[in-house]
Amino acid sequence: MKSLLIKGGRVIDPANHVDEVRDVFIAESKIVASAQDAEVIDARGKIVTPGLIDMHVHLREPGRGDKETVETGTRCAARGGFTSIVCMPNTTPAADNTGTIAFIRQRVAEVGCVNVFPTGAISKELKGEELAPIGSLKKAGIVALTDDGHCVQSNDLMRRAVEYAKMFNLPVLDHCQDYSLVADGVVHEGYWSAALGLRGWPATGEDVIVARNVLLAELTDWWIHCQHISSARSVQLIREAKRRGVKISAEACPHHFTMTDGCVKAYETNFKMNPPLRTEHDRDGILEGLADGTIDCIASDHAPHCTYEKEVEFDLAPFGIIGLETELALSLELVRKKVLTLPALIERFTTKPATLLRLNKGTLSMGADADVTIIDPEIEWTYDVTQSASKSRNSPFHGWQMRGKAERTIVGGVTKFP
Ligand SMILES: [Zn+2]
């Protein structure tokens, strides 16, 4: 393996409080202090960061290889600047058993081009009725428990899940959705749901579960992470709980801090996601949560769906959009809008998810795995979803003018993109 010298870039390594122009050396797939005969990569004018981590990705394998596979999903990640991703268990069959976890890990070893950390289901078949075999899933290599796509409705079962998770040192990630309040809502309940005649998904349907999770995290003294938070009230609940020292954390997705529910007005199904796009008030709440650290991480909720599935009436279309390739550019807008400093943004993609999930990643410390992202922060480009590495095309950002992009993605010392 050739040694690398990444020369003259602005190195931002939040774990070590580094933000300065310096060189980074890689040898034998690790970050080192110096290297002989290294291939030089000119990074002048670029940002050099620990490989970015996305803790919320749907790879769809096993079961829906027509939407995405480990191969295409990880290629998409590398293009977006991500060297590590965390995949969700709502596959077919669900990742509620050791065989499915072993299958995913085998596929990653064979065709994956970035690191993939699997999660296991909280409940069998994500039905919220009976706990999955948490201990064996942990042995099989999961990094967290989640029923993402679904939400355990029984507060007692959720309590037991968190108690078991604590015994096995696993964080619990929760897709916060109260089924009785949300029912078959498809867009945010408010002006636009009424104007368009679409069924509403009220913000309270998220807030109630966030509040439940705060109470259970407090009761069990264990970590619950609220996934893809979309409402201002949820942010407020998490902020207050964090002040009391509750073990609660949260992530936000670029679509929720970039767009609002008015985007749905043409009944375009690529604006249908779960939770839905919400109001300007909610979007501002998410931005405040990102700015003050209430929201720990940014994640894509990359959710590929086939075109034929999305090209139906709004009510019938599946929820979700692909996001790995547009995530970094949309997040760099937060720096330009002065919501976050660049080091704070990089932290939300590196040290924060690594700490929450206890991953030995997200730093350029000497001896760390040589996962590195080189970012051109100013390059202007247009997102063309027809050229996506994903098998799916369901992005609302097709044709958008973007600024900033991963120029090179290095995983374990090997360039995986371009
Ligand atoms: Zn979800």
Side-chain angles (χ1 to χ4, degrees), residues 274-385:
N274 186 2
L277 298 174
R278 299 204 188 274
T279 63
E280 274 177 37
H281 171 70
D282 291 304
R283 185 179 62 180
D284 291 347
I286 301 291
L287 293 173
E288 283 163 26
L290 281 162
D292 72 5
T294 299
I295 297 173
D296 304 79
C297 307
I298 297 173
S300 63
D301 192 7
H302 179 84
H305 292 294
C306 298
T307 303
Y308 74 84
E309 294 173 301
K310 276 287 200 183
E311 282 182 350
V312 295
E313 291 161 60
F314 199 91
D315 277 335
L316 302 177
F319 292 98
I321 61 167
I322 57 171
L324 282 164
E325 295 168 331
T326 48
E327 182 171 8
L328 178 59
L330 294 170
S331 300
L332 283 165
E333 283 299 315
L334 299 174
V335 178
R336 286 188 273 272
K337 286 182 183 150
K338 305 215 182 303
V339 174
L340 291 172
T341 62
L342 192 51
L345 177 70
I346 299 305
E347 199 179 35
R348 277 151 186 73
F349 280 124
T350 56
T351 41
K352 292 284 188 175
T355 306
L356 286 174
L357 298 167
R358 298 138 177 91
L359 307 179
N360 195 13
K361 295 283 181 190
T363 169
L364 297 175
S365 300
M366 292 302 135
D369 295 342
D371 296 346
V372 181
T373 305
I374 304 177
I375 300 165
D376 182 337
E378 297 303 334
I379 188 171
E380 297 193 13
W381 57 289
T382 304
Y383 185 54
D384 179 357
V385 77

Side-chain angles (χ1 to χ4, degrees), residues 56 58 88 90 146-150 174-177 227-228 251 274-275 301:
H56 195 140
H58 296 272
M88 294 297 119
N90 58 339
T146 175
D147 269 4
D148 183 51
H150 302 263
D174 198 21
H175 166 119
C176 305
Q177 177 177 351
Q227 298 177 290
H228 44 50
E251 72 195 25
N274 186 2
D301 192 7

Side-chain angles (χ1 to χ4, degrees), residues 54-283:
D54 186 330
M55 66 180 289
H56 195 140
V57 172
H58 296 272
L59 290 176
R60 303 297 189 212
E61 204 178 348
R64 287 307 302 264
D66 53 335
K67 294 180 194 238
E68 198 76 288
T69 61
V70 168
E71 187 174 8
T72 58
T74 57
R75 270 193 8 235
C76 223
R79 274 202 198 193
F82 295 89
T83 60
S84 293
I85 58 176
V86 175
C87 64
M88 294 297 119
N90 58 339
T91 47
T92 313
D96 61 357
N97 65 89
T98 56
T100 302
I101 301 296
F103 173 80
I104 293 167
R105 294 184 65 183
Q106 188 193 329
R107 292 301 294 154
V108 171
E110 287 165 357
V111 298
C113 86
V114 303
N115 307 300
V116 176
F117 296 96
T119 55
I122 296 172
S123 67
K124 287 186 181 165
E125 295 177 58
L126 312 177
K127 282 183 172 165
E129 292 165 0
E130 205 183 333
L131 290 183
I134 294 171
S136 346
L137 288 169
K138 163 88 180 187
K139 273 192 205 135
I142 63 164
V143 296
L145 289 167
T146 175
D147 269 4
D148 183 51
H150 302 263
C151 178
V152 174
Q153 299 296 292
S154 159
N155 299 328
D156 179 59
L157 189 78
M158 188 65 172
R159 174 190 177 175
R160 302 300 163 203
V162 180
E163 285 171 348
Y164 272 102
K166 184 179 184 180
M167 278 163 46
F168 293 104
N169 195 29
L170 288 167
V172 178
L173 322 178
D174 198 21
H175 166 119
C176 305
Q177 177 177 351
D178 181 275
Y179 291 174
S180 60
L181 280 165
V182 173
D184 43 12
V186 291
V187 293
H188 174 67
E189 180 184 285
Y191 173 83
W192 285 107
S193 64
L196 300 170
L198 292 169
R199 285 188 294 262
W201 194 133
T204 309
E206 174 176 290
D207 306 337
V208 161
I209 297 293
V210 169
R212 178 275 301 263
N213 288 344
V214 166
L215 295 170
L216 291 182
E218 211 162 11
L219 175 70
T220 57
D221 191 31
W222 192 242
W223 291 98
I224 303 180
H225 173 85
C226 299
Q227 298 177 290
H228 44 50
I229 285 304
S230 65
S231 95
R233 196 56 191 275
S234 291
V235 175
Q236 192 189 3
L237 287 162
I238 294 163
R239 180 182 293 124
E240 288 163 5
K242 280 188 163 187
R243 282 201 190 121
R244 295 202 303 279
V246 178
K247 294 185 165 79
I248 193 103
S249 60
E251 72 195 25
C253 303
H255 45 273
H256 288 129
F257 61 70
T258 304
M259 301 188 291
T260 58
D261 55 349
C263 294
V264 180
K265 62 177 179 282
Y267 298 92
E268 163 58 62
T269 57
N270 284 333
F271 293 94
K272 179 177 176 181
M273 57 281 279
N274 186 2
L277 298 174
R278 299 204 188 274
T279 63
E280 274 177 37
H281 171 70
D282 291 304
R283 185 179 62 180

